[in-house]
Every structure is written in structure tokens, then in C-alpha cells.
Amino acid sequence: MAEVIKMPRMSDTMTEGVIAEWHKKVGDKVKPGDLLAEIETDKATMEFESYNEGTLLYIGVEKGKAAKVDDVIAVVGNEGEDYKELLSGAPSAAQAAEPAKEEAPAQQESAGPVVTPEELGVTVIRMPLLSDTMTEGKIVQWNKNVGDKVKSDDNLADVETDKATMEVVGYTDGTLLHIGVPAGEAAKVNDVIAIIGKEGTDVSGLVASLKSGGSGSKGAPAAKSTEAAQPVAPAESQETGPTAGSNGRVKASPLAKKIAQEKGIDLKAVQGSGDGGRIIKKDIDNYTPSAAPAAAGKETGAAVAAFQPASDAEGYTDISLSQMRKVIARRLGESKFSAPHFYLTMEIVMDNAMAARAQMNEISPVKISFNDMVVKAAALALRKHPAVNSSWMNESIRQWHHIHVGIAVAIEDGLIVPVVKFADQKTLSQIAAESKELSGKARNKKLQPNEFSGNTFTISNLGMMDIDSFTAIINPPDSAIMAVGRIKEVVVKKGDGFGVSNVMTITLSCDHRSIDGAVGASFLQTFKKYMENPVTMLV
């Protein structure tokens, strides 16, 4: 029976998606795990795989067009099947089956009493909440099969959330008795995804009880769960060309990307064997680096390319907004125009800080940067001025008891803010090591959700890019953000003559709803004392 495919919600802020590319056309055969399309969301361009088997009967959204979440984008069914009733609002296969679902409780009541995990001595594994914005997770791959022995620290499955792909650990020993969600399918947070217990335990009654209890698992029926959990490799492609798409982006499954990144393998050098030349896990596992090609352009006597003059005609290019850029514009607009910003600018003399940093780096196990000193000084100043370490809650002002300092990091896709937690309690060396690790993870897209959430204050530093000073837009839910400029030499009066001092300009952006001008100024005075006398941060 034909089934409609709707635009999925791939992030908590997603309201619509743009079809960046269709990888199947009407009439093509599809099976579970096949790459149907690439969808551009507000966070990234993501791959959308088929969970159905059959023929692609209908495509409802053209390449380059947008569709709202839950809009019909395609129909898969039997070849030649009439699907038009599905598009006209007739009940889908799932809706048509609802009367049968209503009869299920009576059938279960007659089948016997409710079975509990405690009675069988088994552990039910549910879809964990892996980030504060996560509503569901997609099983990228099961790393264990039904019947396998598992230990408490074994990685059961790789789960793709709205932020990253992470591992699910069972935290129990035993045998994997049941898989409730096949690889490639999604499950809501707290849905049953697996059961672990003593080998040979019959869990069919428990599975039925869990389903009747409203667990809402999106997995396959119990009779097919074991089979569906086996990873299905995409069909061998007849193409032998490069794996990069027309937009230059390498086509690879999320798991293949993750393994390649861990092994340091350049995906551009790997030949994909999946659908449409897509790189899959086995391609990474079987990859053997070849000899580096000879450097191009080294042949003697190579001709210089002829100069091609640019056109002198006037013109312009309209660049379509990506989903990520739309959300950045919306959220920063909301922050800028809903929170009444005011700005406080101050100059910090950095002579003592530069001398202290040089001395500390002689004994520190990790190099301490000026930004690390800014983080520490800001955290200590927040401890003395808790009104700045706050959030506007509409009906109240929430003053945080902990101090988590976010550090804005620019990446290719936009801006992300890894968080140094309890920064006021950490030494400069600890802050330096953690900041370096978090910044590296951010640029490599390896940050975990708990590492970029929970900030109570944010620092944005453009000093390394030779910016003298700037103002930053507050990063919700914070009430303030500090913009840090470069350290520059200025001529100042010293005694009866003149000398050179190193000065850094900072600007504090404050939400006037929760921070008054005098409060922000007092905070900066305290910050200035710490930075101009770094020894006070060490006692």
C-alpha cells in the first residue's frame, strides 16, 4: 500500500526545509536506507533516507523549493498504484488501521496480565535525552545484534540527534533480547529501543505490554525487529565517478563521516560504493591510502594561462538565504529588538597582564592566552556582581548561582558558543586547557550538547583579527555579553615625559531590563582591577 513521506522535523527550531537535491526520481525503486534527498534545514544540509520499500510514485516538492514540516514531499508504493487519494486528504494507511488499534486493548486483555521488566529480570533501554532540545533520535546503526552478549560499557548504537551523532550505552550486562527501532528509523525520547536480560528470556509479552502502555515506540513490529535491526548496506552503484555532488559536497553517510574523521581520512579520496556513489561505512573500513599524486604545475615549460578580462557590465547576484542564516537572523533580531541594549566601553591597561602571562607560561603545563585571562577575570567579577550573571524571565529575573562562561567561536556554518563551566572556580591553566579543547571540538564539529549549552555570560573576542573595538548582540538567555578588541600600543603621559602602554578596549552589552547602567559599570570596574593586577586572580 502506498505511503506518504512528509518533511521531517530535523531540529528543534526547524519549521520548513529546502530540498537541496533529489537522489531518486519518479519510477525508481527504493528500499530502507536508500538516500532519497538532501534537505537544507536551519542548522545544516542533512541527508534524508527512505524508511520504506517500493517505487517512488510521486515527488511533491521540486529541487530548490521549500516545504513546511509535515508537508507531503513524496509517495512510495507499489509500481502503478493509485496514490491520488492520499494527496487529496484521504486517510493514510496508518489512519486506516486505527480501528484495528482500538480493538487492540481488548485483545491484550484477553491475552493475559500486563508483564513488567521486574518480573522477567530484564532492563528496558529507552531513547535517552541527549540534548536539551532533543525530541527524538535516529538510530544510525546498531553495533549489537539480537542474541549478542553486551557489557555495561558497550556502545549499543549510534544515535543521530538534532545536534550531533552520539553513542548510546546500555549500562547493564546481559544478552540483547530485543531491538525496538530498526537502523535508519527515529524514535521519540523515552521510547523503548532495546531490551537486555538473561539469554533465552521470552520478552514478547513485555514488548506487547510496553506498546499497549503507550510507549509510543516507532520501531518495527516485534516479529520483524530482529531482522530490521541488521544494518542494510545500500545497493552497489553503477557509477564510478567521484563522490562529490554538483555542489562540491562529498556524499557520505553520517556514520562514515564520523569514522573518517576519527581515522583522519579525507573523504574526497574515498570511492563510494553506495547509492549514487555515496560513501558508506564499509568504504571507510576498506580504504587504503594511495601514493600522493605528483604535484601539478611542476613540469618545466608549462604555459601560463591567458588572462581573461572581467566583464565591465554592471550587475548583481541575489543569494538565497540558507535555513541556518534565516534562524540566525530571526534569533539575533529577537535579541536585538526585544532586549533593550545599552553599551559600556572601557580601556584596560595590559602592561601588567602581559608581564604576568609571560611568567605564568614559564611554569604552566598549557599555554595561557589573554582570552583565558579575560574569562577568569570576568568569572571572578560575576561572582561579586551576581546581577550581571542573570537572565530575563519575563515575569522575574533569574540570578544564576553558578558561573558558566560561553566563548563565541566562528565556524564555517556560523557561530557556536562552547561553555567553560564553573569558570570562577578553575585555575588559569585549567581554563586554558578546556578552552583549547572546546574550540578544537567546535571547529571539527565534535562538540557534545552539554558543551555548548548552559551559558550565563558570554565573551566574544575579535582581537586576534586586529579589531580595535566592537559591540556584540546579547546571546540569549544571558543578560550581558563582553566584546573584546585587540591589544595595541598607545602613547601616554608617564611622569614628566611620555611612554608607551599596551591598551585593550572592551565593550559590555547589557539588557537594560535586568541590568542597570550603574551595575554594569561596577562590574567593569571590578573586571578592570583583575586584568590590570593579575596577581589578584591568583589569591
Side-chain angles (χ1 to χ4, degrees):
M1 181 177 291
E3 295 187 24
V4 297
I5 296 175
K6 297 183 178 181
M7 175 64 72
R9 185 184 300 276
M10 294 176 162
S11 77
D12 57 307
T13 56
M14 176 180 172
T15 58
E16 66 176 16
V18 175
I19 301 295
E21 187 75 40
W22 279 105
H23 290 273
K24 296 289 185 181
K25 60 181 182 295
V26 172
D28 285 355
K29 299 291 186 182
V30 296
K31 61 180 182 298
D34 278 358
L35 178 61
L36 277 185
E38 294 178 42
I39 298 177
E40 182 183 340
T41 73
D42 58 331
K43 299 289 179 68
T45 298
M46 305 174 70
E47 296 171 346
F48 180 54
E49 297 179 352
S50 171
Y51 305 146
N52 309 93
E53 185 166 359
T55 300
L56 185 58
L57 304 175
Y58 167 79
I59 288 179
V61 182
E62 298 177 5
K63 174 184 174 182
K65 300 293 185 181
K68 294 189 179 299
V69 171
D70 287 335
D71 279 359
V72 176
I73 60 174
V75 177
V76 173
N78 297 325
E79 187 173 359
E81 184 177 354
D82 184 9
Y83 59 86
K84 293 182 180 178
E85 288 186 356
L86 295 176
L87 302 180
S88 62
S92 64
Q95 293 170 327
E98 284 182 359
K101 289 182 180 179
E102 294 174 357
E103 296 174 3
Q107 295 174 354
Q108 289 166 359
E109 288 177 6
S110 62
V114 173
V115 180
T116 65
E118 291 76 12
E119 292 176 6
L120 298 179
V122 299
T123 300
V124 175
I125 309 297
R126 298 179 182 269
M127 176 62 72
L129 181 66
L130 299 172
S131 79
D132 56 333
T133 58
M134 175 181 171
T135 58
E136 66 177 18
K138 176 183 174 183
I139 303 292
V140 177
Q141 175 171 304
W142 281 101
N143 299 312
K144 297 290 183 179
N145 299 323
V146 170
D148 286 356
K149 299 290 185 181
V150 296
K151 294 183 292 185
S152 60
D153 58 349
D154 280 352
N155 174 16
L156 294 181
D158 294 324
V159 173
E160 181 181 330
T161 73
D162 57 334
K163 304 287 188 180
T165 299
M166 289 175 281
E167 299 176 349
V168 172
V169 179
Y171 300 110
T172 187
D173 294 340
T175 300
L176 184 57
L177 303 173
H178 170 74
I179 288 178
V181 182
E185 293 195 10
K188 294 187 181 302
V189 171
N190 211 39
D191 278 1
V192 176
I193 60 174
I195 298 177
I196 296 174
K198 185 178 179 181
E199 185 177 5
T201 303
D202 182 7
V203 295
S204 57
L206 174 60
V207 172
S209 295
L210 291 171
K211 288 184 177 181
S212 65
S215 67
S217 174
K218 296 173 68 175
K224 302 198 313 184
S225 60
T226 303
E227 179 182 351
Q230 303 297 328
V232 180
E236 292 287 323
S237 172
Q238 300 300 319
E239 300 179 11
T240 58
T243 58
S246 58
N247 59 359
R249 197 171 72 87
V250 176
K251 296 187 293 184
S253 69
L255 184 60
K257 290 178 182 177
K258 176 185 176 185
I259 298 174
Q261 194 173 54
E262 292 173 350
K263 293 184 176 181
I265 296 174
D266 184 0
L267 287 173
K268 294 179 180 178
V270 181
Q271 181 64 48
S273 64
D275 189 26
R278 184 170 180 246
I279 299 170
I280 57 178
K281 178 179 179 293
K282 74 174 184 179
D283 299 323
I284 302 298
D285 294 337
N286 299 331
Y287 173 71
T288 302
S290 57
K298 295 247 179 131
E299 298 85 352
T300 57
V304 178
F307 171 70
Q308 297 293 332
S311 172
D312 58 359
E314 295 183 355
Y316 61 87
T317 301
D318 288 333
I319 301 174
S320 299
L321 294 177
S322 67
Q323 296 300 103
M324 175 179 285
R325 184 54 56 189
K326 287 181 182 179
V327 172
I328 289 174
R330 176 175 58 80
R331 295 196 65 187
L332 291 184
E334 289 173 355
S335 174
K336 179 67 174 177
F337 300 119
S338 65
H341 286 52
F342 71 90
Y343 308 97
L344 302 172
T345 300
M346 180 177 282
E347 290 186 343
I348 311 292
V349 178
M350 295 292 289
D351 294 339
N352 290 339
M354 294 175 72
R357 175 176 175 261
Q359 291 178 331
M360 288 187 289
N361 278 335
E362 290 179 0
I363 59 174
S364 174
V366 61
K367 185 177 180 181
I368 298 170
S369 69
F370 288 114
N371 198 66
D372 299 326
M373 300 177 74
V374 169
V375 171
K376 178 67 173 179
L380 293 176
L382 288 170
R383 184 192 294 172
K384 292 189 175 182
H385 302 275
V388 182
N389 192 50
S390 64
S391 297
W392 178 258
M393 306 301 292
N394 292 322
E395 299 299 328
S396 62
I397 297 173
R398 177 172 295 170
Q399 288 190 5
W400 301 101
H401 297 164
H402 54 270
I403 296 173
H404 295 348
V405 179
I407 304 172
V409 176
I411 60 176
E412 183 179 353
D413 297 330
L415 194 70
I416 195 165
V417 183
V419 180
V420 177
K421 297 187 176 181
F422 305 104
D424 58 320
Q425 303 176 33
K426 294 178 179 176
T427 66
L428 281 165
S429 296
Q430 290 171 333
I431 291 174
E434 188 171 339
S435 297
K436 182 178 180 181
E437 179 184 5
L438 290 172
S439 297
K441 284 185 175 182
R443 294 187 179 95
N444 293 325
K445 299 181 180 179
K446 287 188 174 181
L447 280 177
Q448 297 299 303
N450 64 306
E451 295 173 323
F452 56 79
S453 60
N455 48 286
T456 62
F457 184 84
T458 303
I459 292 171
S460 180
N461 191 338
L462 292 178
M464 70 290 295
M465 302 181 74
D466 293 332
I467 300 299
D468 289 338
S469 65
F470 67 103
T471 58
I473 299 176
I474 296 169
N475 178 34
D478 300 350
S479 287
I481 182 171
M482 181 182 288
V484 182
R486 72 185 179 101
I487 300 173
K488 61 179 180 178
E489 292 183 341
V490 296
V491 177
V492 296
K493 191 176 186 305
K494 290 188 176 182
D496 294 333
F498 293 89
V500 175
S501 283
N502 296 279
V503 174
M504 178 179 72
T505 302
I506 60 169
T507 301
L508 185 69
S509 304
C510 301
D511 183 345
H512 216 325
R513 297 174 300 180
S514 49
I515 301 176
D516 293 327
V519 173
S522 297
F523 166 81
L524 285 186
Q525 286 180 324
T526 303
F527 175 80
K528 180 183 178 74
K529 289 178 182 178
Y530 282 126
M531 289 301 297
E532 293 188 345
N533 298 281
V535 68
T536 58
M537 290 191 282
L538 308 177
V539 295

